[in-house]
Amino acid sequence: MFAEVIVDVAHSETDRVFDYAFTDENVKIGCRVEVPFGYQKKEGFVINLKEKTGVPDGKIKSVSRVLDDFPAINADCLALARYVKDSYHVPFAVALRLFIPAELRGGRVKEKFVNVITVSDKFTEAEALSSLRKGSSAQENAIKYLFAFKTCLKAELSDKFGASAVNALVQKGFFVEYKEKAGRTPYKELGAVSKNVTLSDEQTKAIEKVNETKKTVTLLFGVTGSGKTEVYLRLIDETLKSGRTAIMLVPEIALTPQMLGQLRARFQSSVSILHSGLSAGERYDEWLKLKTGESKIAIGARSAIFAPLDNVGLIIVDEEHDSSYDAETSPRYKTVEIAVKRAEICGAKVVLGSATPSIESYDKALSGEYELAEMKKRINGKQLPEFIVADMRKEIRRGNASIFSADLREGLKECLSKGEQAIVFYNRRGYSRQVICRDCGYVAKCENCDISLNYHKDYGILKCHYCGASYKMLSACPECGSVNLSYSGAGTQKIVSELQSLFPSARILRMDNDTTQNKDGHYKILKEFSDKKADFLVGTQMVAKGHDFPDVTLVGILDADMSLYFSDYRSGERTFQLITQVAGRSGRADKNGKVVLQTYNPDNDVLLSAINYDYGSFFEREKAIRKSTGFPPYALIIRVMVESESDDAALQTLKDVYVKVSKIYDENRDNFLFFNKMKSPVKRIKNKFRYQLLMRLTGDYEKIKDGIYEAAEESKSSSSLCYVEENPSNLY
Ligand code: ADP
Ligand code: ZN
Ligand code: ZN
């Protein structure tokens, strides 16, 4: 027999099938094997078995050995890997690697064992004690202790009574020592009490829709606090009862400990977590539990879509609109696409949940491609929190130049006096580079693209990230003449210190990139806040996601408009989502909630839709804009990136790929809405020079796209990278 093997080397030159002979019956499809390759031994994946090979007798080599006790990649996953390889144009080996923990490759994980001591069943406690010489009090105490508790970790016992006493008792045979596999269960302390709730009508209807639809995908469009999690839990429960398994994806696992706690509470050890924050050993253990069927539910961030589960019946993507579902390194996959494909392969259902669906998903729900299940009411029967709009231009005119509006200060004060909690949200990412007039709210925009310009400090210019046009830095506002222009904001630290001086007695927590560097950083802060050890939580995007704190009755949004002008065609969408999500943290339990939204642009359409909870008007307007300007879903944005440590090498590669793509452009002008080559918005990152070709395609562009991928592949060199991104979620 012969095995078709993909050798685990991520080179395009070796990206093909190699045949190997074998006799070992453990060689199966999906197995990892070791094979001779050139002068070396390499790991590889068996993707097919066959009776005959085209390789001549004398030339064929044999599989050296099988690496694992089981096929690491099941048939569904193998099919999915093929899909990833084809649609994201990566070597097969790179696609296959997604399905196994890095630790498995090269045999890097060691199973972790601990030494345990137990009492021997050959002796009684009295016999053991009577054998002791006088004065061996350590041994005496150890015997009394262990005969009471029966077993104990050796390290712990030695700590208490001394290693020499413990070793002596093992020698004498009163104690027995053995090794036990250490269970590395991450986030062990999470395991909330399972709430036994009666479903609301809307929840019941949503579950029925998912069960009854013939469509693969259901969009669960439920307002914040409508009880989406309970719907997920019930669907998972039904899936397990029917003998199948489930995958639950969340944007960032560290930010949603509640979800994990609830899954654990309901399904105990059937849940395994997959995410990059775990230690290598933990990750491997969790993967293995899923592989062997010990766990039946995989929860994690986007990469958990590749969980090694058999017989998947349900895939849930919570907060499906979140941009963290777009992979930013190769392979640059879109998680929802993979989820739908995986579901199609194994006949599973997909549930996409959100209070603010992406334009693409809602569009598909309206057109009938997806089923639509809506939940329009909050579980607590309360209205969604009321918005109070604070016009920051008026505040300045009134002489209040501080970060906080009068309304927000008032609200915070009231919160403190009632012993309730508040979240202050600050959108730092949007804050970095737009130029905004602090007097009239004017924002500098590109004349061609209607997208806000970015200030490039190093060149002293304003630049459009979409068409590359650059403009002189403004010295005064063209609308009102004010010189009060802002292009860099305060940091969270400054907000906290100002807040502290306003409210000296308040206990304030800060959550941003700086305070969450440690492994469990997010979790600790969120836990402190939910334990009511703080009054205010100040933070960036992280505070917006999915949290359920019953005592939060006020949310403050500082400078809501900043992300509105982030130089991205999705900035309106992102702003709408952020405002809705963060507002949704307020008033989730039995108390009414409110939101103070500070802005320089109170008349902005996106803000108005958000504060009126009017997704429909936002969606229609956004769609019309995208249609008329030629942006997704009406066009495909393609960016070819070139990166190199040498500027010359990068330029050479750019030239090569430009010539090739220009040829495609000349032959297919009708399909190109836009095509240009330019420096990347950030020209150098981590010492790499970066250039790009930007284009937008429309019509029937599949062939053109493949051509562009080929052009990039052919243009890259040993010293420079050249790769393709589709609808990248960040252009920097
Ligand atoms: P969403 O994800 O839609 O914002 P959650 O799933 O976090 O909302 O639910 C909001 C709150 O309502 C949670 O505290 C949850 O435990 C509670 N909840 C959900 N369903 C019910 C129900 N049927 N009865 C009572 N409480 C519920
Ligand atoms: Zn102005
Ligand atoms: Zn432009």
Side-chain angles (χ1 to χ4, degrees):
M1 288 285 279
F2 301 95
E4 293 185 349
V5 173
I6 297 293
V7 179
D8 193 4
V9 177
H11 268 302
S12 43
E13 299 87 71
T14 51
D15 186 26
R16 61 179 188 85
V17 172
F18 293 89
D19 286 0
Y20 288 90
F22 71 92
T23 47
D24 185 347
E25 61 194 28
N26 289 320
V27 174
K28 295 191 182 109
I29 293 177
C31 272
R32 295 189 323 120
V33 289
E34 188 179 82
V35 291
F37 191 73
Y39 297 107
Q40 291 171 304
K41 293 249 161 114
K42 291 274 181 210
E43 296 185 356
F45 301 89
V46 176
I47 60 158
N48 199 17
L49 302 179
K50 56 190 181 186
E51 303 275 345
K52 291 201 179 97
T53 175
V55 183
D57 251 6
K59 288 240 166 156
I60 190 97
K61 294 179 184 168
S62 295
V63 170
S64 315
R65 64 190 179 102
V66 180
L67 289 167
D68 313 305
D69 306 337
F70 46 78
I73 298 188
N74 67 27
D76 294 347
C77 292
L78 196 56
L80 195 58
R82 274 184 206 280
Y83 167 80
V84 170
K85 155 187 157 305
D86 292 339
S87 43
Y88 301 100
H89 300 261
V90 289
F92 209 160
V94 171
L96 287 162
R97 281 178 193 173
L98 293 167
F99 294 84
I100 56 170
E103 294 74 31
L104 201 62
R105 297 172 51 226
R108 267 170 288 169
V109 187
K110 299 276 168 292
E111 296 234 61
K112 202 174 142 197
F113 287 97
V114 287
N115 293 323
V116 185
I117 305 275
T118 185
V119 291
S120 161
D121 51 10
K122 298 199 183 82
F123 301 93
T124 63
E125 184 177 353
E127 284 169 332
L129 285 173
S130 65
S131 78
L132 293 180
R133 254 183 274 135
K134 271 214 157 47
S136 338
S137 65
Q139 292 191 28
E140 187 183 326
N141 291 336
I143 289 170
K144 285 181 181 158
Y145 180 87
L146 202 64
F147 272 90
F149 290 95
K150 305 301 180 211
T151 55
C152 184
L153 286 178
K154 184 173 188 189
E156 206 181 312
L157 206 61
S158 304
D159 238 24
K160 284 190 164 67
F161 308 104
S164 59
V166 174
N167 285 329
L169 290 166
V170 171
Q171 286 259 294
K172 292 179 191 166
F174 299 126
F175 288 3
V176 179
E177 178 175 351
Y178 61 94
K179 283 185 191 302
E180 196 173 80
K181 208 174 126 194
R184 288 171 284 213
T185 305
Y187 304 106
K188 225 186 261 161
E189 68 278 26
L190 275 176
V193 203
S194 178
K195 282 193 218 166
N196 212 342
V197 298
T198 313
L199 293 179
S200 70
D201 285 353
E202 286 193 326
Q203 286 174 322
T204 309
K205 288 216 178 81
I207 291 169
E208 278 169 15
K209 270 231 166 126
V210 176
N211 284 333
E212 282 162 18
T213 184
K214 295 270 178 300
K215 292 169 188 164
T216 300
V217 185
T218 302
L219 175 64
L220 176 61
F221 180 6
V223 300
T224 57
S226 59
K228 292 185 285 295
T229 312
E230 187 61 34
V231 172
Y232 303 151
L233 294 175
R234 299 279 172 130
L235 289 168
I236 292 174
D237 195 36
E238 290 173 10
T239 305
L240 297 197
K241 285 191 174 127
S242 73
R244 304 184 74 177
T245 60
I247 299 174
M248 163 104 219
L249 303 178
V250 292
E252 264 176 88
I253 188 91
L255 295 182
T256 45
Q258 262 147 242
M259 186 71 80
L260 189 57
Q262 295 200 42
L263 279 174
R264 277 269 172 73
R266 200 149 315 179
F267 305 107
Q268 289 83 36
S269 59
S270 265
V271 185
S272 279
I273 308 155
L274 294 173
H275 80 98
S276 57
L278 303 179
S279 71
E282 283 173 342
R283 215 157 37 207
Y284 175 74
D285 289 353
E286 295 290 283
W287 184 87
L288 200 62
K289 278 188 223 156
L290 292 163
K291 178 79 223 169
T292 57
E294 193 184 330
S295 290
K296 305 217 175 319
I297 306 164
I299 178 172
R302 61 172 182 252
S303 62
I305 192 60
F306 303 110
L309 285 164
D310 289 325
N311 200 9
V312 173
L314 177 68
I315 301 171
I316 292 166
V317 185
D318 187 32
E319 312 287 1
E320 64 89 26
H321 61 273
D322 199 282
S323 62
S324 72
Y325 286 123
D326 295 351
E328 287 188 343
T329 54
S330 176
R332 294 178 173 75
Y333 62 87
K334 309 272 183 215
T335 306
V336 172
E337 275 176 30
I338 307 272
V340 173
K341 191 69 201 181
R342 182 158 189 176
E344 282 169 2
I345 291 169
C346 58
K349 293 222 159 138
V350 176
V351 175
L352 306 177
S354 179
T356 51
S358 67
I359 298 287
E360 284 86 349
S361 294
Y362 193 62
D363 199 38
K364 287 183 176 160
L366 290 187
S367 75
E369 187 177 336
Y370 294 170
E371 186 64 57
L372 178 64
E374 288 188 88
M375 300 201 295
K376 296 180 173 168
K377 292 196 287 260
R378 280 196 153 182
I379 277 291
N380 61 7
K382 297 246 153 68
Q383 296 290 309
L384 286 158
E386 176 204 357
F387 273 95
I388 297 162
V389 177
D391 184 341
M392 296 308 277
R393 301 170 306 182
K394 285 191 189 146
E395 297 282 328
I396 287 189
R397 269 178 245 143
R398 271 194 227 122
N400 173 17
S402 91
I403 308 171
F404 307 104
S405 60
D407 286 324
L408 184 53
R409 272 189 306 213
E410 204 44 51
L412 290 166
K413 198 167 125 192
E414 196 186 320
C415 222
L416 266 186
S417 70
K418 286 187 179 163
E420 296 170 358
Q421 291 178 299
I423 290 178
V424 176
F425 167 65
Y426 164 70
N427 198 359
R428 179 165 52 186
R429 201 163 125 216
Y431 234 134
S432 51
R433 300 208 198 93
Q434 290 73 40
V435 177
I436 185 165
C437 170
R438 295 199 15 128
D439 286 318
C440 76
Y442 166 85
V443 171
K445 284 190 178 183
C446 175
E447 287 166 11
N448 312 322
C449 306
D450 196 33
I451 276 172
S452 69
L453 295 171
N454 274 241
Y455 176 51
H456 284 245
K457 208 171 164 193
D458 30 349
Y459 304 104
I461 55 163
L462 299 174
K463 200 164 174 182
C464 172
H465 286 184
Y466 276 86
C467 71
S470 55
Y471 303 79
K472 268 204 302 223
M473 178 56 194
L474 304 170
S475 51
C477 172
E479 299 268 309
C480 76
S482 161
V483 290
N484 203 357
L485 299 176
S486 130
Y487 42 87
S488 65
T492 25
Q493 237 169 332
K494 183 163 171 223
I495 293 168
V496 170
S497 71
E498 294 212 3
L499 204 53
Q500 195 73 75
S501 57
L502 279 175
F503 303 101
S505 69
R507 299 162 302 166
I508 305 171
L509 279 172
R510 171 161 73 100
M511 181 151 128
D512 57 22
N513 276 332
D514 301 335
T515 60
T516 51
Q517 287 299 316
N518 302 334
K519 184 176 162 224
D520 295 328
H522 300 95
Y523 170 64
K524 281 185 186 133
I525 296 172
L526 294 170
K527 175 106 174 57
E528 246 182 274
F529 194 58
S530 83
D531 289 346
K532 292 208 75 177
K533 294 199 177 114
D535 307 298
F536 303 151
L537 174 64
V538 176
T540 52
Q541 269 81 339
M542 302 170 189
V543 302
K545 302 196 181 182
H547 314 300
D548 191 33
F549 303 114
D551 280 313
V552 171
T553 54
L554 175 68
V555 163
I557 302 177
L558 308 178
D559 293 332
D561 18 3
M562 278 308 184
S563 70
L564 208 46
Y565 302 104
F566 197 56
S567 53
D568 181 329
Y569 73 96
R570 270 177 295 207
S571 56
E573 184 178 357
R574 294 259 163 85
T575 304
F576 183 87
Q577 288 163 351
L578 262 173
I579 292 177
T580 311
Q581 294 293 341
V582 70
R585 303 313 110 209
S586 184
R588 291 172 72 84
D590 40 3
K591 297 173 196 126
N592 285 320
K594 64 181 173 189
V595 184
V596 176
L597 180 136
Q598 301 189 168
T599 174
Y600 293 95
N601 293 274
D603 303 324
N604 178 276
D605 289 331
V606 174
L607 297 189
L608 288 174
S609 297
I611 65 181
N612 292 314
Y613 296 102
D614 188 356
Y615 180 87
S617 75
F618 154 75
F619 174 80
E620 291 304 331
R621 199 177 44 246
E622 193 65 27
K623 239 180 84 164
I625 295 173
R626 302 233 189 136
K627 198 166 194 168
S628 67
T629 52
F631 277 96
Y634 303 100
L636 175 75
I637 301 179
I638 290 216
R639 170 158 89 154
V640 179
M641 277 300 297
V642 174
E643 289 179 13
S644 173
E645 279 174 20
S646 142
D647 202 11
D648 291 342
L651 277 168
Q652 185 56 49
T653 300
L654 179 73
K655 226 165 96 189
D656 290 352
V657 71
Y658 182 65
V659 169
K660 293 189 180 102
V661 177
S662 294
K663 196 158 163 278
I664 301 175
Y665 171 66
D666 286 335
E667 289 160 4
N668 302 278
R669 291 233 174 178
D670 288 349
N671 294 97
F672 280 76
L673 293 173
F674 177 83
F675 174 46
N676 209 343
K677 72 168 191 289
M678 57 179 120
K679 277 181 199 162
S680 294
V682 184
K683 198 192 160 196
R684 224 167 144 203
I685 292 181
K686 289 184 190 153
N687 286 324
K688 279 195 174 145
F689 291 89
R690 313 162 80 235
Y691 295 91
Q692 66 185 28
L693 304 183
L694 254 192
M695 59 210 94
R696 295 204 304 271
L697 302 177
T698 176
D700 188 9
Y701 50 62
E702 285 305 317
K703 277 227 174 71
I704 300 175
K705 203 173 89 178
D706 290 346
I708 294 168
Y709 271 103
E710 268 167 44
E713 184 63 39
E714 287 165 9
S715 306
K716 75 178 185 207
S717 68
S718 55
S719 51
S720 61
L721 284 176
C722 185
Y723 58 86
V724 178
E725 292 171 308
E726 297 180 35
N727 292 340
S729 55
N730 281 308
L731 283 183
Y732 53 78

